[in-house]
């Protein structure tokens, strides 16, 4: 877990958390489904970036 929370990934982790929270909020507050999908895609992309950087460093 420590390798995913490195200083290099700090901003990406914060973006991931923001996208995840906004995904939940937009889903339960009955916002636009497109908004929910956009946050879901942004969340998955940010997680992919974190995993790619970690794999690159190993």
């Amino acid at each position: 877990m420590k390798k995913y929370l490195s200083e290099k990934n700090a901003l990406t982790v914060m973006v991931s958390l923001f996208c995840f929270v906004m995904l939940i909020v937009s889903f339960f507050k009955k916002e636009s489904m497109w908004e929910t999908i956009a946050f879901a895609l942004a969340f998955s992309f940010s997680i992919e970036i974190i995993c790619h950087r970690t794999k690159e460093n190993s």
Side-chain angles (χ1 to χ4, degrees):
M1 185 70 172
K2 188 177 181 181
K3 61 184 175 181
Y4 295 112
L5 300 176
S6 69
E7 194 172 317
K8 183 178 179 184
N9 288 334
L11 182 61
T12 312
V13 170
M14 292 305 297
V15 169
S16 298
L17 290 174
F18 173 77
C19 289
F20 183 71
V21 168
M22 290 305 294
L23 169 72
I24 300 299
V25 168
S26 66
F27 185 75
F28 286 114
K29 288 223 176 196
K30 305 293 185 207
E31 298 293 331
S32 162
M33 190 53 96
W34 291 112
E35 187 176 327
T36 306
I37 292 169
F39 281 120
L41 288 172
F43 176 71
S44 72
F45 184 68
S46 62
I47 294 298
E48 181 67 31
I49 289 173
I50 292 171
C51 292
H52 178 72
R53 283 183 185 164
T54 304
K55 189 185 292 184
E56 208 173 63
N57 291 338
S58 336

